[in-house]
Each structure stands twice: as structure tokens, then as C-alpha cells.
Amino acid sequence: MKKSFGILGLAFLVLCSCNANSNSSESASFSDINKHKVSFLNYDGSTLFEKNVDDRNNIFYEGEEPTRKAPNNKTYYYDFYKWDAPLTNIKEDIVVKPIFHIIETKNPIDRDDYTYRPMYKIEGNDIKTIGYEIYKYNNFDFEGTLEVPSTFNNLPVLRIGEACFMECNIKRIILPSTIEVIDQFAFNSCTNLEYVNIPDNTYSLKRAAFYYSEKLETISINNINFLREDNFLLCKNLNRLNVSEKNQQFKTIEGCLYSKSEDVLVKIPEGKGNVEISNNTRKIKSEAIARLDKMKEITIPQSVIDMEEAVFFESKVESITILGNIDSIPDRTFLYCRNLKEINIPNSIKTIGARAFYDCRLLENIIMPDSVNTIGDFAFAYCTSLKEIYIPNSLKNIGDGAFIQLDSLEKFSILNNPFYTVYEDALYSKNYEELYRVPQKKTNINIHGATKVIKADAFYWCSIINEITLPNSLMKIEKYAFYFCNNVYELDIPDTVLSIEESAFEGMESLIRIHLPNNLTVLESSLFENCALLQEVNIPSKVTKIGDEVFYNCINLPSLVIYDSLKEFGKDVFAACNMLDDIYFTGSEAQWKSIKGLSNCALTSETTIHFEYK
């Protein structure tokens, strides 16, 4: 019998295996049955957040705060309090809706050190007072331990109002068990506050509730189920967060805040030293590792597959290792990480977002893997210690200003990229027709003879170069191309150029003479703004418009010739042109007076207009 059962069992397993292999879609369908859709709706029925969760798991809410607008001319407003359904042990598809407090705004009541406002609940056609909000605390100078009252007019105090204790000098605050909501900025800038208890009944903690309460070291948020990433912003000594085991949304590990299931890292307190991120973490929330002063190095574990924007914003971490299988470094991820010296970028990264490394001043070297295809706007701007940038073979797109203000940059290097190349250490398009960026440490430059476009910011703050010769192939100069390239004394733009964009020569502080191309029809806004030494410039005979602030603060410009082709001035064209004594106009006085915008171009009575100039 045993032998017979074994053969039958083996046959059954083989049959199951064959069925599984022959119908994988049925297997996937079975998997879907074990997931439930949870939809969070706003009061108007619009969807705030939606997610599928495994059977009997928790749902972690990541949407915006629900809102409900009060009818016109009403003296109350609706404030989100909590959800109408539990967020744990999800067994079926559910729709979750918000519950709101109703708070009176008219005629607040002063009593002792507090100002109160009534809170209501609507039952059918009746409005019932259910409790009170402490709207303001009025004893600003009190420095001891404050026990907040639990009742007013025989009803519970349910809410701490917006900025209620803002900038108070209190050291300890004892909140009553009745508190359900702590509103935004409630303890903003309470710089002496060392202790506050969050009652078990408190469900919601609004925006920046403890902003700049810098003496807080530990805080227990117990059963709070709704909070914002900026609740503890600039709490520089906060090194531990605690929650109740009953909390539906959060848990803490080593004093750091995670989602209940541990898959989302919500916040590492700003006063925390080195910490290991849980290997169960799959997502890191915005600013979760922001503004850390004491942490010197950190590793993003392999389990992480998603990061939101600005995760490390203003953190003083020096070394970062990313092991996670993420495909992008989001916008502003390391913005203002001014102590960051080294980072490894994994081969999974395809996109480096806008301002991702903006102002990482100590970063001397960065190796971008050949998986990177996009670098966002200003991604490495103000990384003033970077000396060399390797352009990955996979790179296709470079955003505006991606490499500006790199004071130490000596060269770009490249191996075999199909879209970009390097010529004399500068970055070009593959066919040399577009010049993207010249390293700021270059002392001289020969522009390739095939170049047709000087791209935006190409010579941005190249303050060492003192001579630039532009090729006759050139057709276009984009915005800020020579911005504060302030050691160049003269510049000849070839007549092949048909377009020069706004601010192209702005801030060229040493520029004395410039020749503009004959076919130019518009002088775009701020073209020569702050060219303080400019004395000689020709306005081409085909120019029909001079844009806003073109010659703003050209304080040494003595004279100009303007042709009767001109039809329009922008605003403040000649503002602060203190030495502009003469304008020679080729048309009649009537033609001059008919130019649109003449009254707003900031010419003074000190400037003499000479008409019918030949």
C-alpha cells in the first residue's frame, strides 16, 4: 500500500507540475485573487490613493491629506480627522473615506491662558457641539511644565490648533488624553521644549507640527496614523521616535520610523547617529534621511527598489553606498549635501534627476555607470570640487545647466558614446555641431570648426578664459551661453549667426567691445545686462525689437547707433546706463516717437537723440 501511494503521489505531483507549466496565466490569476484593492477617496469622491495589498496585510497610506470645502459664507471649516475604516488585516476590496472635524472660526472664547473654538458634528439637520479646539495659548513667557486642560464648558478638548504654542518658552507640555488632532505648526519654534506626550487618542499630526523644536530628543507618536515628512523638521537633537504596537500605520526600528510592514522608511530622526536601514525596506520616502548632522556614512540596502525626491536633502552624510536595485536617482536626492565626498551609483541607474547633486561641494569624483541615459536640469550644478566628469556610453539626454558652476572641472572624458564626444576637454554633440559645456578650469579654448550651436550655459562662469574665437560655421547662441564669462575683453560674432537668445552675454564684466551679426533681427532680454565695461556695440540694421533690460547697468556705454528698422523697446532697456550721452537714430523724430515702448525704456533726459543720422 505504501508503495502504491508513493506512485500515485508522484503521478499527482507530475500532473500538477505539467498543469502549472502549461497555464502560467492561471497561476498569475490565482495570485491576483490573494490581493485586495484599497481605494482612499476624498469627500467629493475623487481618488486620493489606491493600492493592491496582499490578503490580511496592512495598507500604508501615501496620498495627500483629504480636504472638504465649507459652503460659502460659512463661519466654520472642515478639518481631516481620521479614516472611516481600519487599515489593517485587509480581507477584501474596500473603499476608505475621510472623517472631518467641523471647527467654528467666529468669536473664539478667551478663558485664562487659552483661546478656544467650538467643534461640531452634523447629525441629519442638527449641528451638535462635540468639544473644543485650543486655538491659542496666551502665556508666551511661561517656562515651566504646562498641563493642558482636558475639558472646557464640560466638553472635551479635542484639538491643538494651528500654531497654538508657536515660539512659546515652555520646557514640558502634558497633553490630555482627549486630544485627537495636533494641527500644523502647533509647536513651531518651541526652542526650549524638552518633552511633550502624544496621547493614545491622537490620530493625526499635521504639517511641521514640531518644526524647529530643537531640544526634543525623544518623542512617542503612539497611535498617530497620519503625519507628514516635515513634522520634525529641524529637530536637530531628536534621536528617537517611538510608536505603539497597536499603531495601524507605523513601527519603529532603532528609533527610526517605518511603515507597519517595514517596507517603507518614513523618517530617520535628524539627531540620529549612524544607523542601518532595515533589509526589508523597499521604498524610502521624501526627506526620510534629510538634515542629518551626525551620520557620516550610510548604505541603502539591496532590498530598496524605489526612492522619492529629496531623500537626503541637506544631510551632512559623507559617504553613501547604494546597493538597492533602483532605476533612478530622483530630483533633489542629494540637494545641498555639502559634506558628501563619495558615492557609488549602481549599474541599475538610468536617470539622474534634476538638481540630484546640486551644491554637493566636496564631491571630487563621481562614476556614472554605462546604464545612465538621462541627466536632469542642474543635476551637478555647483559641485565645485569635481575635477573630471566621465560621460557614460549610454547617455542620451543632458538637461539645462547640468554642469554649471563646476569651479574645479578640468575636463570631460568619454569612450564610445553615440550621441556625445569630447574635443579639447569640452563636451560636444557627436558631430561637433553643438558645443555643450566648456570646463571652467580651461585657460584657453579652440572651438571646433564644425560647431553650429553654442548651447545654453556652454561658457557659464568660465572666468579664466580671456580670448574666444567663434567659427564661421556658427548659426545660434543659446541663453546664458557666455554668462559671467568675465575675463573676455572683446568678442566678434560671425555674420552666419541668425539667433542669439536672452542673457547670452549677461555679466561679462570685462567685455569692452562686441560685434553683432548683420542678420540679427531681435536683441533678446538682458542680452548685455551687467556688462559694466561695455563701450562699443553695434545694433544691426535689421533689428526690429530691443527686449527688456538689454543694456541694464551698462554704466560705461557712451553712445549707440539705432536704425529706423526698430519698432519696439522692452522695459528698462537702458536702466542704469549713466554714461549714455548720445543715440544716433537713422530715422526722423516722428519715427523715433512712434517706437512702441519708448516711454518705458528708461532713457533719461541726459541722453541726446540725433535724428536722420547717416
Side-chain angles (χ1 to χ4, degrees), residues 213-262:
S213 294
E214 59 181 357
K215 286 190 177 180
L216 278 175
E217 295 184 2
T218 302
I219 191 165
S220 297
I221 60 175
N222 296 327
N223 290 319
I224 284 174
N225 274 236
F226 184 85
L227 53 72
R228 293 277 299 265
E229 65 271 6
D230 58 3
N231 281 138
F232 308 105
L233 178 63
L234 295 180
C235 293
K236 291 297 184 182
N237 289 298
L238 186 66
N239 57 55
R240 187 169 191 85
L241 292 166
N242 297 318
V243 299
S244 166
E245 291 185 0
K246 298 178 181 178
N247 193 299
Q248 296 183 28
Q249 288 283 277
F250 303 106
K251 70 181 296 185
T252 52
I253 303 173
E254 296 183 12
C256 303
L257 191 65
Y258 291 81
S259 63
K260 186 73 173 179
S261 57
E262 205 175 313

Coordinates of all heavy atoms in Angstrom, one line a residue, residues 213-262:
S213 N 11.7 72.5 16.9 CA 11.7 72.3 18.4 C 13.0 71.5 18.7 O 13.0 70.3 18.9 CB 10.5 71.5 18.8 OG 9.3 72.3 18.6
E214 N 14.1 72.3 18.7 CA 15.4 71.7 18.6 C 15.9 71.0 19.9 O 16.9 70.2 19.8 CB 16.4 72.7 18.2 CG 16.6 73.9 19.2 CD 17.6 75.0 18.7 OE1 18.2 74.7 17.7 OE2 17.7 76.0 19.4
K215 N 15.3 71.1 21.0 CA 15.7 70.4 22.2 C 15.0 69.1 22.4 O 15.5 68.3 23.3 CB 15.5 71.3 23.5 CG 16.5 72.4 23.5 CD 16.5 73.2 24.9 CE 17.5 74.3 25.0 NZ 17.5 75.0 26.3
L216 N 14.0 68.8 21.7 CA 13.4 67.5 21.8 C 14.4 66.4 21.4 O 15.0 66.4 20.3 CB 12.2 67.4 20.8 CG 10.9 68.0 21.3 CD1 9.8 68.0 20.2 CD2 10.4 67.3 22.6
E217 N 14.5 65.4 22.3 CA 15.4 64.2 22.0 C 14.6 63.0 21.6 O 15.1 62.2 20.8 CB 16.3 64.0 23.1 CG 17.3 65.1 23.4 CD 18.3 64.9 24.5 OE1 18.3 63.7 25.0 OE2 19.1 65.7 24.8
T218 N 13.5 62.8 22.3 CA 12.7 61.6 22.1 C 11.2 62.0 22.0 O 10.8 62.9 22.8 CB 12.9 60.6 23.2 OG1 14.2 60.2 23.3 CG2 12.0 59.3 23.0
I219 N 10.5 61.4 21.2 CA 9.0 61.6 21.1 C 8.3 60.4 20.7 O 8.7 59.6 19.9 CB 8.7 62.8 20.2 CG1 7.2 63.2 20.3 CG2 8.9 62.4 18.7 CD1 6.9 64.6 19.7
S220 N 7.2 60.1 21.5 CA 6.4 58.9 21.2 C 5.1 59.4 20.5 O 4.3 60.1 21.0 CB 6.0 58.2 22.5 OG 7.2 57.7 23.2
I221 N 5.0 58.9 19.2 CA 3.8 59.3 18.5 C 2.7 58.2 18.6 O 1.6 58.4 18.0 CB 4.1 59.5 17.0 CG1 4.7 58.3 16.3 CG2 5.1 60.7 16.9 CD1 5.0 58.4 14.9
N222 N 2.9 57.2 19.4 CA 1.9 56.2 19.8 C 1.0 55.8 18.7 O 1.4 55.1 17.8 CB 1.1 56.8 21.0 CG 2.0 57.0 22.2 OD1 2.9 56.2 22.4 ND2 1.7 58.0 23.0
N223 N -0.3 56.2 18.6 CA -1.3 55.7 17.7 C -1.5 56.6 16.5 O -2.5 56.5 15.8 CB -2.6 55.4 18.4 CG -2.5 54.2 19.3 OD1 -1.8 53.2 18.9 ND2 -3.1 54.3 20.5
I224 N -0.7 57.6 16.3 CA -0.8 58.5 15.2 C -0.8 57.7 13.9 O 0.2 57.0 13.7 CB 0.2 59.7 15.2 CG1 -0.1 60.7 16.3 CG2 0.3 60.3 13.8 CD1 0.9 61.7 16.5
N225 N -1.8 57.9 13.0 CA -1.9 57.2 11.8 C -1.7 58.1 10.6 O -1.7 57.6 9.4 CB -3.2 56.5 11.7 CG -3.1 55.1 12.3 OD1 -3.4 54.1 11.7 ND2 -2.8 55.1 13.6
F226 N -1.7 59.4 10.8 CA -1.5 60.3 9.7 C -0.5 61.4 10.1 O -0.7 62.1 11.0 CB -2.8 61.0 9.2 CG -2.7 61.9 8.0 CD1 -2.8 61.3 6.8 CD2 -2.5 63.2 8.2 CE1 -2.7 62.1 5.6 CE2 -2.3 64.0 7.1 CZ -2.4 63.5 5.8
L227 N 0.6 61.5 9.3 CA 1.6 62.5 9.6 C 2.3 62.9 8.3 O 2.1 62.3 7.3 CB 2.6 62.1 10.7 CG 3.4 60.8 10.6 CD1 4.4 60.9 9.5 CD2 4.1 60.5 11.9
R228 N 3.1 64.0 8.4 CA 3.8 64.5 7.2 C 5.3 64.3 7.4 O 5.8 64.3 8.6 CB 3.5 66.0 7.0 CG 2.1 66.3 6.6 CD 1.9 66.1 5.1 NE 2.7 67.1 4.4 CZ 2.3 68.2 4.0 NH1 1.1 68.6 4.2 NH2 3.2 69.0 3.4
E229 N 6.1 64.3 6.3 CA 7.5 64.1 6.4 C 8.2 65.3 7.1 O 9.3 65.2 7.6 CB 8.1 63.8 5.1 CG 8.1 65.0 4.1 CD 6.8 65.0 3.3 OE1 5.9 64.2 3.5 OE2 6.7 65.9 2.4
D230 N 7.5 66.4 7.2 CA 8.2 67.6 7.7 C 7.7 67.9 9.2 O 8.0 68.9 9.7 CB 7.9 68.9 6.9 CG 6.4 69.1 6.7 OD1 5.6 68.4 7.3 OD2 6.0 70.1 6.0
N231 N 7.1 66.9 9.8 CA 6.6 67.1 11.2 C 7.7 67.4 12.2 O 7.5 68.2 13.1 CB 5.9 65.9 11.7 CG 4.5 65.7 11.2 OD1 4.0 64.7 10.8 ND2 3.8 66.8 11.1
F232 N 8.9 66.9 11.9 CA 10.0 67.0 12.9 C 11.2 67.8 12.2 O 12.3 67.6 12.6 CB 10.4 65.7 13.4 CG 9.3 64.9 14.0 CD1 8.8 63.8 13.3 CD2 8.7 65.3 15.2 CE1 7.7 63.1 13.8 CE2 7.6 64.5 15.7 CZ 7.1 63.5 15.0
L233 N 10.9 68.6 11.3 CA 11.9 69.4 10.5 C 12.7 70.3 11.5 O 12.1 71.0 12.3 CB 11.2 70.2 9.5 CG 12.0 71.2 8.6 CD1 13.0 70.4 7.8 CD2 11.1 72.0 7.7
L234 N 14.0 70.2 11.4 CA 14.9 71.0 12.2 C 14.9 70.7 13.7 O 15.2 71.5 14.5 CB 14.8 72.5 11.9 CG 15.1 73.0 10.5 CD1 14.9 74.5 10.4 CD2 16.5 72.6 10.1
C235 N 14.4 69.5 14.0 CA 14.5 69.0 15.4 C 15.9 68.3 15.5 O 16.0 67.1 15.4 CB 13.4 68.0 15.7 SG 11.8 68.8 15.8
K236 N 16.9 69.1 15.7 CA 18.3 68.7 15.5 C 18.8 67.7 16.5 O 19.8 67.0 16.3 CB 19.2 69.9 15.5 CG 19.1 70.8 14.3 CD 19.5 70.1 13.0 CE 19.4 71.0 11.8 NZ 19.8 70.3 10.6
N237 N 18.1 67.6 17.7 CA 18.6 66.7 18.7 C 17.7 65.5 18.8 O 17.9 64.6 19.7 CB 18.7 67.4 20.1 CG 19.9 68.4 20.1 OD1 21.0 67.9 20.0 ND2 19.6 69.6 20.3
L238 N 16.6 65.4 18.0 CA 15.7 64.3 18.1 C 16.4 63.1 17.5 O 16.8 63.0 16.4 CB 14.5 64.6 17.2 CG 13.3 63.6 17.3 CD1 12.7 63.5 18.7 CD2 12.3 63.9 16.3
N239 N 16.6 62.1 18.4 CA 17.3 60.8 18.0 C 16.5 59.6 18.2 O 16.9 58.5 17.9 CB 18.6 60.7 18.8 CG 18.4 60.7 20.3 OD1 17.6 59.9 20.8 ND2 19.1 61.5 21.0
R240 N 15.2 59.7 18.6 CA 14.4 58.5 18.7 C 12.9 58.9 18.6 O 12.4 59.8 19.2 CB 14.6 57.9 20.1 CG 13.9 56.5 20.2 CD 14.4 55.7 21.4 NE 13.9 54.4 21.3 CZ 14.5 53.4 20.7 NH1 15.6 53.6 20.1 NH2 13.9 52.2 20.7
L241 N 12.2 58.1 17.7 CA 10.8 58.1 17.6 C 10.2 56.8 18.1 O 10.8 55.7 17.8 CB 10.3 58.3 16.2 CG 10.7 59.7 15.6 CD1 10.5 59.7 14.1 CD2 9.8 60.8 16.2
N242 N 9.1 56.8 18.9 CA 8.5 55.6 19.4 C 7.1 55.6 18.9 O 6.4 56.6 18.8 CB 8.5 55.5 20.9 CG 10.0 55.5 21.4 OD1 10.8 54.8 20.9 ND2 10.2 56.3 22.5
V243 N 6.5 54.4 18.7 CA 5.1 54.2 18.4 C 4.6 53.1 19.2 O 5.3 52.2 19.6 CB 4.8 54.0 16.9 CG1 5.3 55.1 16.0 CG2 5.5 52.7 16.4
S244 N 3.3 53.0 19.3 CA 2.6 51.9 20.0 C 2.5 50.7 19.1 O 2.5 50.8 17.9 CB 1.1 52.4 20.4 OG 0.4 51.2 20.7
E245 N 2.5 49.5 19.7 CA 2.4 48.3 18.9 C 1.1 48.2 18.2 O 0.9 47.5 17.3 CB 2.6 47.1 19.8 CG 4.1 46.9 20.3 CD 4.2 45.6 21.1 OE1 3.2 44.9 21.3 OE2 5.4 45.4 21.6
K246 N 0.1 49.0 18.7 CA -1.3 48.9 18.2 C -1.4 49.9 17.0 O -2.4 49.9 16.3 CB -2.3 49.3 19.2 CG -2.4 48.4 20.4 CD -3.4 48.9 21.4 CE -3.4 48.0 22.6 NZ -4.4 48.5 23.7
N247 N -0.4 50.7 16.7 CA -0.4 51.6 15.6 C -0.7 50.9 14.3 O 0.0 49.9 13.9 CB 0.9 52.4 15.5 CG 0.7 53.6 14.6 OD1 0.5 53.5 13.4 ND2 0.9 54.8 15.2
Q248 N -1.7 51.4 13.5 CA -2.0 50.7 12.3 C -1.1 51.0 11.1 O -1.1 50.3 10.1 CB -3.5 51.1 11.9 CG -4.5 50.6 12.8 CD -5.9 51.0 12.3 OE1 -6.2 51.1 11.1 NE2 -6.8 51.2 13.3
Q249 N -0.4 52.1 11.2 CA 0.4 52.6 10.0 C 1.9 52.5 10.2 O 2.7 52.3 9.3 CB 0.1 54.1 9.8 CG -1.3 54.3 9.1 CD -1.3 53.9 7.7 OE1 -0.9 54.7 6.8 NE2 -1.7 52.7 7.4
F250 N 2.4 52.6 11.5 CA 3.8 52.8 11.7 C 4.4 51.8 12.7 O 3.7 51.3 13.5 CB 4.1 54.2 12.1 CG 3.7 55.3 11.2 CD1 2.5 56.1 11.5 CD2 4.3 55.5 10.0 CE1 2.1 57.1 10.7 CE2 3.8 56.5 9.1 CZ 2.7 57.3 9.5
K251 N 5.7 51.6 12.6 CA 6.5 51.0 13.6 C 7.9 51.7 13.7 O 8.2 52.4 12.7 CB 6.7 49.5 13.3 CG 7.6 49.2 12.1 CD 7.7 47.7 11.8 CE 8.3 46.9 12.9 NZ 8.5 45.5 12.6
T252 N 8.6 51.4 14.7 CA 10.0 52.0 14.8 C 11.0 50.9 15.0 O 10.7 49.9 15.6 CB 10.1 53.0 16.0 OG1 9.6 52.4 17.2 CG2 9.3 54.3 15.7
I253 N 12.2 51.1 14.4 CA 13.3 50.2 14.5 C 14.5 51.1 14.8 O 14.8 52.0 14.0 CB 13.6 49.4 13.2 CG1 12.3 48.6 12.8 CG2 14.8 48.5 13.4 CD1 12.5 47.9 11.5
E254 N 15.1 50.9 15.9 CA 16.3 51.7 16.4 C 15.9 53.2 16.4 O 16.7 54.0 16.1 CB 17.5 51.5 15.5 CG 18.1 50.1 15.5 CD 19.3 49.9 14.7 OE1 19.9 51.0 14.3 OE2 19.8 48.8 14.4
G255 N 14.6 53.4 16.8 CA 14.2 54.8 16.9 C 13.8 55.5 15.5 O 13.5 56.7 15.5
C256 N 13.9 54.7 14.4 CA 13.6 55.3 13.1 C 12.2 54.8 12.7 O 11.8 53.7 13.1 CB 14.6 54.8 12.1 SG 16.3 55.2 12.5
L257 N 11.5 55.6 12.0 CA 10.1 55.4 11.7 C 9.9 54.7 10.3 O 10.4 55.2 9.3 CB 9.4 56.7 11.6 CG 7.8 56.7 11.6 CD1 7.3 56.1 12.9 CD2 7.3 58.1 11.4
Y258 N 9.2 53.6 10.3 CA 8.9 52.8 9.2 C 7.4 52.6 9.0 O 6.6 52.8 10.0 CB 9.5 51.4 9.2 CG 11.0 51.4 9.2 CD1 11.8 51.7 10.3 CD2 11.7 51.0 8.0 CE1 13.2 51.6 10.2 CE2 13.1 51.0 7.9 CZ 13.8 51.3 9.0 OH 15.2 51.2 9.0
S259 N 7.0 52.1 7.9 CA 5.6 51.7 7.7 C 5.4 50.4 8.6 O 6.4 49.8 9.0 CB 5.3 51.4 6.3 OG 6.1 50.3 5.8
K260 N 4.2 50.1 8.9 CA 3.9 49.0 9.8 C 4.5 47.7 9.3 O 5.0 46.9 10.1 CB 2.4 48.8 9.9 CG 1.9 47.7 10.9 CD 2.1 48.2 12.3 CE 1.5 47.2 13.3 NZ 1.7 47.7 14.7
S261 N 4.5 47.5 8.0 CA 5.1 46.2 7.4 C 6.6 46.3 7.2 O 7.2 45.4 6.6 CB 4.4 45.9 6.1 OG 4.5 46.9 5.2
E262 N 7.2 47.5 7.5 CA 8.6 47.7 7.5 C 9.2 47.9 6.1 O 10.4 48.0 5.9 CB 9.3 46.5 8.2 CG 10.7 46.8 8.7 CD 11.2 45.6 9.5 OE1 10.5 45.0 10.3 OE2 12.4 45.3 9.3

